[in-house]
Amino acid sequence: MEKQLDLVAKSYDKGIDLGKKGIDSYDNFPSYITDNPNYPLFEQMRMDETLSDSARKDIVEYLAPKAGMRFIDLGCCLNLMFAGYKDWPSTYYGVDISSKTIELLQQYTAKNHVAVGDLHCCSMHETPYGTDFFDIGECIGSLEYFEKDFVRQAVAEFSRIMKSNGRFVLDIPNIGSPEFEITKLIEEYLGRQDQFDLSAEEFETILDAHFTIDKKEIVGPMIQYFLIRK
């Protein structure tokens, strides 16, 4: 688990460094990726912005952020900058394993006078927040990097920090779909190999101990779950 956390952190740190130089990690792939028969699906998903869609209107409509609410974004990446979360009336809290991601967000909030509750570098399975702390939350595009034991711990942590009846959105890979197979190949090339080893049914059994599934939807290579904390 620790080795995988380190690999994911280093991969996203590298992505931040490249981004500062104007280089997009998702450009200039080797031919074994671009010649893959599923690669056009990846290009279409990039165009449609459905690779890991934290900005879907379905999410904001479901979470229904309001002033006075605390919102936790687990595996936050740069969502505060690019997914519209800075405009939500709720108070934003972001957690990410990439220290350079958190540093960039801290610089962004300071420069643009964006008020947040907290930006913290840590793993999403062990956060510094109190029990029953958050009203709404999400974890998008993160669980696919980890095996069952980590996923189980992460879901338990999500439940711990959420208030009873709090709304939460997360996603897992749509394993076996051509959309996921090409993104999996690309993520491995980027140094953060997907290790998710659960069927949707097995994952839902883990969820059932903590959350009620309100609805689920297939979004690109992922399955998004809209949940209520029990």
Side-chain angles (χ1 to χ4, degrees):
M1 182 189 300
E2 293 301 323
K3 181 180 179 181
Q4 180 69 355
L5 285 167
D6 186 56
L7 288 173
V8 172
K10 287 180 177 177
S11 176
Y12 277 101
D13 282 350
K14 181 180 178 181
I16 294 294
D17 287 338
L18 290 173
K20 289 179 178 179
K21 298 175 183 178
I23 301 171
D24 189 335
S25 300
Y26 288 93
D27 288 337
N28 300 314
F29 291 126
S31 59
Y32 79 87
I33 291 178
T34 56
D35 291 344
N36 187 287
N38 291 326
Y39 186 72
L41 291 173
F42 173 80
E43 292 284 81
Q44 187 63 49
M45 288 186 291
R46 285 193 76 185
M47 187 180 302
D48 297 340
E49 298 182 342
T50 57
L51 277 172
S52 178
D53 196 354
S54 301
R56 289 184 75 210
K57 67 176 184 177
D58 307 67
I59 293 178
V60 63
E61 289 175 357
Y62 185 75
L63 295 181
K66 296 180 177 60
M69 287 183 171
R70 297 188 185 110
F71 166 54
I72 181 65
D73 187 6
L74 294 142
C76 63
C77 199
L78 299 179
N79 291 335
L80 184 65
M81 297 169 61
F82 300 119
Y85 295 165
K86 67 180 178 61
D87 300 319
W88 287 18
S90 51
T91 302
Y92 182 90
Y93 290 72
V95 162
D96 202 278
I97 195 67
S98 162
S99 62
K100 293 190 177 183
T101 293
I102 295 299
E103 289 171 7
L104 182 59
L105 289 176
Q106 289 169 338
Q107 293 166 7
Y108 170 80
T109 55
K111 180 180 179 180
N112 294 280
H113 307 289
V114 177
V116 297
D118 187 38
L119 297 167
H120 198 84
C121 182
C122 68
S123 171
M124 58 189 164
H125 81 298
E126 292 179 341
T127 74
Y129 306 114
T131 299
D132 303 327
F133 190 74
F134 294 102
D135 302 277
I136 53 177
E138 72 161 25
C139 178
I140 299 295
S142 296
L143 289 176
E144 63 264 33
Y145 300 123
F146 302 102
E147 296 177 343
K148 177 171 58 178
D149 288 346
F150 180 92
V151 171
R152 191 184 304 277
Q153 292 179 52
V155 170
E157 179 68 355
F158 302 165
S159 174
R160 184 189 70 79
I161 62 178
M162 291 298 299
K163 292 180 180 178
S164 178
N165 295 316
R167 292 182 297 279
F168 197 87
V169 181
L170 56 72
D171 65 0
I172 63 168
N174 185 18
I175 293 176
S177 69
E179 292 86 356
F180 177 66
E181 291 306 311
I182 187 61
T183 58
K184 180 179 180 180
L185 188 66
I186 289 168
E187 293 294 285
E188 182 175 1
Y189 168 75
L190 294 174
R192 47 181 188 254
Q193 183 178 19
D194 292 325
Q195 294 190 349
F196 197 84
D197 58 353
L198 293 157
S199 67
E201 292 76 14
E202 290 169 328
F203 178 69
E204 289 167 17
T205 298
I206 293 173
L207 282 180
D208 186 59
H210 306 281
F211 293 93
T212 298
I213 300 173
D214 204 355
K215 62 176 178 175
K216 64 179 180 179
E217 299 174 352
I218 294 176
V219 182
M222 309 297 284
I223 305 172
Q224 280 190 358
Y225 287 86
F226 297 77
L227 309 170
I228 303 290
R229 197 269 203 174
K230 289 184 177 179

Short mmCIF file of all heavy atoms in Angstrom, two decimals, residues 74-111:
data_model
loop_
_atom_site.label_atom_id
_atom_site.label_comp_id
_atom_site.label_asym_id
_atom_site.label_seq_id
_atom_site.Cartn_x
_atom_site.Cartn_y
_atom_site.Cartn_z
N LEU A 74 -11.84 14.57 -1.73
CA LEU A 74 -10.79 13.59 -1.43
C LEU A 74 -10.11 13.15 -2.72
O LEU A 74 -10.77 12.70 -3.65
CB LEU A 74 -11.39 12.40 -0.69
CG LEU A 74 -11.94 12.75 0.70
CD1 LEU A 74 -13.22 12.00 0.99
CD2 LEU A 74 -10.90 12.47 1.77
N GLY A 75 -8.78 13.27 -2.76
CA GLY A 75 -8.06 13.08 -4.01
C GLY A 75 -8.38 14.25 -4.92
O GLY A 75 -8.76 14.09 -6.08
N CYS A 76 -8.21 15.46 -4.38
CA CYS A 76 -8.82 16.66 -4.98
C CYS A 76 -8.18 17.10 -6.28
O CYS A 76 -8.81 17.80 -7.07
CB CYS A 76 -8.79 17.80 -3.98
SG CYS A 76 -7.13 18.35 -3.48
N CYS A 77 -6.90 16.73 -6.51
CA CYS A 77 -6.20 17.19 -7.71
C CYS A 77 -6.37 18.72 -7.80
O CYS A 77 -6.26 19.41 -6.79
CB CYS A 77 -6.72 16.45 -8.94
SG CYS A 77 -5.62 16.52 -10.36
N LEU A 78 -6.68 19.27 -8.97
CA LEU A 78 -6.83 20.72 -9.11
C LEU A 78 -8.30 21.11 -9.31
O LEU A 78 -8.61 22.10 -9.98
CB LEU A 78 -5.98 21.22 -10.28
CG LEU A 78 -4.47 20.96 -10.15
CD1 LEU A 78 -3.73 21.48 -11.37
CD2 LEU A 78 -3.90 21.59 -8.88
N ASN A 79 -9.20 20.34 -8.70
CA ASN A 79 -10.62 20.61 -8.87
C ASN A 79 -11.01 22.01 -8.43
O ASN A 79 -11.90 22.63 -9.02
CB ASN A 79 -11.45 19.60 -8.06
CG ASN A 79 -11.36 18.20 -8.62
OD1 ASN A 79 -11.08 18.01 -9.81
ND2 ASN A 79 -11.57 17.20 -7.79
N LEU A 80 -10.38 22.52 -7.38
CA LEU A 80 -10.72 23.86 -6.90
C LEU A 80 -10.49 24.90 -7.99
O LEU A 80 -11.25 25.87 -8.10
CB LEU A 80 -9.89 24.19 -5.66
CG LEU A 80 -10.20 25.53 -4.97
CD1 LEU A 80 -11.60 25.51 -4.38
CD2 LEU A 80 -9.17 25.82 -3.89
N MET A 81 -9.47 24.68 -8.80
CA MET A 81 -9.14 25.63 -9.87
C MET A 81 -9.99 25.45 -11.12
O MET A 81 -10.34 26.42 -11.78
CB MET A 81 -7.66 25.48 -10.22
CG MET A 81 -6.70 25.82 -9.09
SD MET A 81 -4.97 25.35 -9.43
CE MET A 81 -4.59 26.33 -10.87
N PHE A 82 -10.33 24.18 -11.43
CA PHE A 82 -10.90 23.91 -12.75
C PHE A 82 -12.29 23.29 -12.76
O PHE A 82 -12.89 23.15 -13.82
CB PHE A 82 -9.95 23.01 -13.54
CG PHE A 82 -8.59 23.61 -13.75
CD1 PHE A 82 -7.45 23.00 -13.26
CD2 PHE A 82 -8.44 24.81 -14.43
CE1 PHE A 82 -6.19 23.55 -13.44
CE2 PHE A 82 -7.19 25.38 -14.63
CZ PHE A 82 -6.06 24.75 -14.13
N ALA A 83 -12.82 22.88 -11.61
CA ALA A 83 -14.13 22.22 -11.58
C ALA A 83 -15.23 23.12 -11.03
O ALA A 83 -16.35 22.65 -10.80
CB ALA A 83 -14.06 20.93 -10.77
N GLY A 84 -14.92 24.38 -10.80
CA GLY A 84 -15.93 25.33 -10.35
C GLY A 84 -16.19 25.34 -8.86
O GLY A 84 -17.07 26.06 -8.38
N TYR A 85 -15.42 24.56 -8.10
CA TYR A 85 -15.71 24.44 -6.67
C TYR A 85 -15.43 25.74 -5.89
O TYR A 85 -16.00 25.95 -4.82
CB TYR A 85 -14.90 23.30 -6.05
CG TYR A 85 -15.26 21.92 -6.58
CD1 TYR A 85 -14.43 20.84 -6.36
CD2 TYR A 85 -16.43 21.72 -7.31
CE1 TYR A 85 -14.75 19.57 -6.84
CE2 TYR A 85 -16.75 20.47 -7.79
CZ TYR A 85 -15.91 19.40 -7.55
OH TYR A 85 -16.23 18.15 -8.02
N LYS A 86 -14.57 26.59 -6.43
CA LYS A 86 -14.29 27.85 -5.74
C LYS A 86 -15.52 28.75 -5.69
O LYS A 86 -15.59 29.66 -4.85
CB LYS A 86 -13.14 28.59 -6.43
CG LYS A 86 -13.46 29.08 -7.84
CD LYS A 86 -12.27 29.79 -8.45
CE LYS A 86 -12.54 30.25 -9.87
NZ LYS A 86 -13.66 31.19 -9.97
N ASP A 87 -16.50 28.48 -6.54
CA ASP A 87 -17.71 29.30 -6.58
C ASP A 87 -18.85 28.72 -5.75
O ASP A 87 -19.92 29.33 -5.67
CB ASP A 87 -18.17 29.47 -8.04
CG ASP A 87 -17.11 30.15 -8.89
OD1 ASP A 87 -16.49 31.11 -8.39
OD2 ASP A 87 -16.89 29.73 -10.04
N TRP A 88 -18.64 27.53 -5.18
CA TRP A 88 -19.69 26.94 -4.36
C TRP A 88 -19.87 27.74 -3.07
O TRP A 88 -18.87 28.24 -2.50
CB TRP A 88 -19.34 25.49 -4.01
CG TRP A 88 -19.47 24.52 -5.15
CD1 TRP A 88 -19.51 24.81 -6.49
CD2 TRP A 88 -19.55 23.10 -5.05
NE1 TRP A 88 -19.60 23.66 -7.21
CE2 TRP A 88 -19.63 22.59 -6.36
CE3 TRP A 88 -19.55 22.22 -3.97
CZ2 TRP A 88 -19.73 21.24 -6.63
CZ3 TRP A 88 -19.64 20.86 -4.24
CH2 TRP A 88 -19.74 20.37 -5.55
N PRO A 89 -21.09 27.85 -2.56
CA PRO A 89 -21.29 28.58 -1.29
C PRO A 89 -20.81 27.81 -0.07
O PRO A 89 -20.64 28.40 1.00
CB PRO A 89 -22.81 28.78 -1.26
CG PRO A 89 -23.36 27.65 -2.07
CD PRO A 89 -22.36 27.43 -3.17
N SER A 90 -20.61 26.50 -0.19
CA SER A 90 -20.08 25.69 0.92
C SER A 90 -18.60 25.99 1.13
O SER A 90 -17.94 26.58 0.27
CB SER A 90 -20.30 24.21 0.64
OG SER A 90 -19.80 23.87 -0.66
N THR A 91 -18.06 25.56 2.25
CA THR A 91 -16.64 25.74 2.56
C THR A 91 -15.85 24.55 2.06
O THR A 91 -16.16 23.40 2.39
CB THR A 91 -16.43 25.91 4.08
OG1 THR A 91 -17.19 27.03 4.52
CG2 THR A 91 -14.96 26.15 4.39
N TYR A 92 -14.81 24.83 1.27
CA TYR A 92 -14.05 23.78 0.59
C TYR A 92 -12.90 23.26 1.44
O TYR A 92 -12.13 24.02 2.02
CB TYR A 92 -13.48 24.33 -0.72
CG TYR A 92 -12.71 23.32 -1.54
CD1 TYR A 92 -13.37 22.54 -2.49
CD2 TYR A 92 -11.34 23.15 -1.38
CE1 TYR A 92 -12.66 21.61 -3.26
CE2 TYR A 92 -10.63 22.23 -2.14
CZ TYR A 92 -11.30 21.47 -3.08
OH TYR A 92 -10.61 20.55 -3.83
N TYR A 93 -12.78 21.92 1.50
CA TYR A 93 -11.65 21.24 2.11
C TYR A 93 -11.11 20.27 1.06
O TYR A 93 -11.87 19.47 0.50
CB TYR A 93 -12.07 20.44 3.34
CG TYR A 93 -12.45 21.28 4.54
CD1 TYR A 93 -13.64 21.99 4.55
CD2 TYR A 93 -11.63 21.34 5.67
CE1 TYR A 93 -14.02 22.76 5.66
CE2 TYR A 93 -11.99 22.09 6.78
CZ TYR A 93 -13.19 22.79 6.77
OH TYR A 93 -13.54 23.55 7.86
N GLY A 94 -9.80 20.32 0.80
CA GLY A 94 -9.21 19.44 -0.19
C GLY A 94 -8.10 18.59 0.39
O GLY A 94 -7.26 19.09 1.16
N VAL A 95 -8.09 17.31 0.02
CA VAL A 95 -7.06 16.36 0.45
C VAL A 95 -6.44 15.74 -0.80
O VAL A 95 -7.17 15.31 -1.70
CB VAL A 95 -7.67 15.26 1.34
CG1 VAL A 95 -6.74 14.07 1.43
CG2 VAL A 95 -7.97 15.80 2.73
N ASP A 96 -5.12 15.68 -0.85
CA ASP A 96 -4.45 15.01 -1.96
C ASP A 96 -3.11 14.44 -1.49
O ASP A 96 -2.46 15.02 -0.62
CB ASP A 96 -4.24 15.97 -3.13
CG ASP A 96 -4.06 15.23 -4.44
OD1 ASP A 96 -2.93 14.77 -4.73
OD2 ASP A 96 -5.05 15.11 -5.20
N ILE A 97 -2.71 13.32 -2.08
CA ILE A 97 -1.46 12.67 -1.73
C ILE A 97 -0.25 13.36 -2.35
O ILE A 97 0.88 13.17 -1.93
CB ILE A 97 -1.50 11.17 -2.15
CG1 ILE A 97 -0.37 10.37 -1.48
CG2 ILE A 97 -1.44 11.04 -3.66
CD1 ILE A 97 -0.51 10.23 0.01
N SER A 98 -0.49 14.21 -3.36
CA SER A 98 0.57 14.93 -4.05
C SER A 98 0.87 16.25 -3.34
O SER A 98 0.04 17.16 -3.32
CB SER A 98 0.16 15.20 -5.50
OG SER A 98 0.96 16.22 -6.08
N SER A 99 2.06 16.36 -2.76
CA SER A 99 2.43 17.59 -2.04
C SER A 99 2.49 18.78 -3.00
O SER A 99 2.14 19.91 -2.61
CB SER A 99 3.77 17.40 -1.34
OG SER A 99 4.81 17.14 -2.26
N LYS A 100 2.91 18.56 -4.24
CA LYS A 100 3.01 19.67 -5.18
C LYS A 100 1.64 20.15 -5.63
O LYS A 100 1.46 21.33 -5.95
CB LYS A 100 3.88 19.27 -6.37
CG LYS A 100 5.34 19.04 -5.96
CD LYS A 100 6.27 18.89 -7.13
CE LYS A 100 7.71 18.75 -6.65
NZ LYS A 100 8.68 18.67 -7.76
N THR A 101 0.66 19.25 -5.64
CA THR A 101 -0.72 19.66 -5.91
C THR A 101 -1.21 20.58 -4.81
O THR A 101 -1.78 21.65 -5.08
CB THR A 101 -1.63 18.42 -6.02
OG1 THR A 101 -1.28 17.67 -7.18
CG2 THR A 101 -3.10 18.83 -6.12
N ILE A 102 -1.01 20.19 -3.57
CA ILE A 102 -1.46 21.01 -2.44
C ILE A 102 -0.72 22.35 -2.42
O ILE A 102 -1.33 23.40 -2.18
CB ILE A 102 -1.27 20.25 -1.11
CG1 ILE A 102 -2.19 19.02 -1.07
CG2 ILE A 102 -1.56 21.17 0.08
CD1 ILE A 102 -3.67 19.31 -1.17
N GLU A 103 0.58 22.35 -2.69
CA GLU A 103 1.34 23.60 -2.74
C GLU A 103 0.79 24.54 -3.81
O GLU A 103 0.65 25.76 -3.57
CB GLU A 103 2.81 23.30 -3.02
CG GLU A 103 3.55 22.66 -1.85
CD GLU A 103 4.93 22.17 -2.24
OE1 GLU A 103 5.36 22.46 -3.38
OE2 GLU A 103 5.58 21.51 -1.41
N LEU A 104 0.47 23.99 -4.98
CA LEU A 104 -0.07 24.83 -6.06
C LEU A 104 -1.43 25.40 -5.67
O LEU A 104 -1.72 26.57 -5.94
CB LEU A 104 -0.17 24.01 -7.34
CG LEU A 104 -0.68 24.76 -8.59
CD1 LEU A 104 0.24 25.94 -8.90
CD2 LEU A 104 -0.74 23.82 -9.79
N LEU A 105 -2.26 24.59 -5.03
CA LEU A 105 -3.57 25.07 -4.59
C LEU A 105 -3.42 26.16 -3.53
O LEU A 105 -4.19 27.14 -3.53
CB LEU A 105 -4.40 23.91 -4.05
CG LEU A 105 -4.91 22.90 -5.07
CD1 LEU A 105 -5.63 21.75 -4.36
CD2 LEU A 105 -5.84 23.55 -6.09
N GLN A 106 -2.48 26.00 -2.64
CA GLN A 106 -2.25 27.02 -1.61
C GLN A 106 -1.80 28.34 -2.24
O GLN A 106 -2.25 29.42 -1.83
CB GLN A 106 -1.22 26.51 -0.60
CG GLN A 106 -1.75 25.41 0.30
CD GLN A 106 -0.67 24.73 1.12
OE1 GLN A 106 0.51 24.77 0.78
NE2 GLN A 106 -1.06 24.10 2.22
N GLN A 107 -0.94 28.25 -3.26
CA GLN A 107 -0.51 29.45 -3.96
C GLN A 107 -1.68 30.10 -4.70
O GLN A 107 -1.84 31.33 -4.68
CB GLN A 107 0.60 29.09 -4.95
CG GLN A 107 1.89 28.63 -4.29
CD GLN A 107 2.85 27.97 -5.27
OE1 GLN A 107 2.62 27.95 -6.49
NE2 GLN A 107 3.94 27.41 -4.75
N TYR A 108 -2.51 29.25 -5.31
CA TYR A 108 -3.67 29.75 -6.06
C TYR A 108 -4.67 30.46 -5.14
O TYR A 108 -5.14 31.56 -5.46
CB TYR A 108 -4.34 28.57 -6.77
CG TYR A 108 -5.68 28.90 -7.38
CD1 TYR A 108 -5.76 29.54 -8.61
CD2 TYR A 108 -6.87 28.55 -6.74
CE1 TYR A 108 -6.99 29.85 -9.18
CE2 TYR A 108 -8.09 28.85 -7.30
CZ TYR A 108 -8.15 29.50 -8.52
OH TYR A 108 -9.37 29.80 -9.07
N THR A 109 -4.98 29.86 -4.00
CA THR A 109 -5.96 30.47 -3.10
C THR A 109 -5.43 31.77 -2.52
O THR A 109 -6.19 32.74 -2.36
CB THR A 109 -6.34 29.50 -1.97
OG1 THR A 109 -5.16 29.05 -1.28
CG2 THR A 109 -7.09 28.29 -2.51
N ALA A 110 -4.13 31.82 -2.21
CA ALA A 110 -3.55 33.05 -1.67
C ALA A 110 -3.55 34.17 -2.71
O ALA A 110 -3.93 35.31 -2.42
CB ALA A 110 -2.13 32.78 -1.18
N LYS A 111 -3.15 33.84 -3.92
CA LYS A 111 -3.06 34.84 -4.98
C LYS A 111 -4.43 35.37 -5.38
O LYS A 111 -4.58 36.57 -5.66
CB LYS A 111 -2.37 34.23 -6.21
CG LYS A 111 -2.22 35.19 -7.38
CD LYS A 111 -1.52 34.53 -8.56
CE LYS A 111 -1.39 35.49 -9.74
NZ LYS A 111 -0.69 34.85 -10.89
#
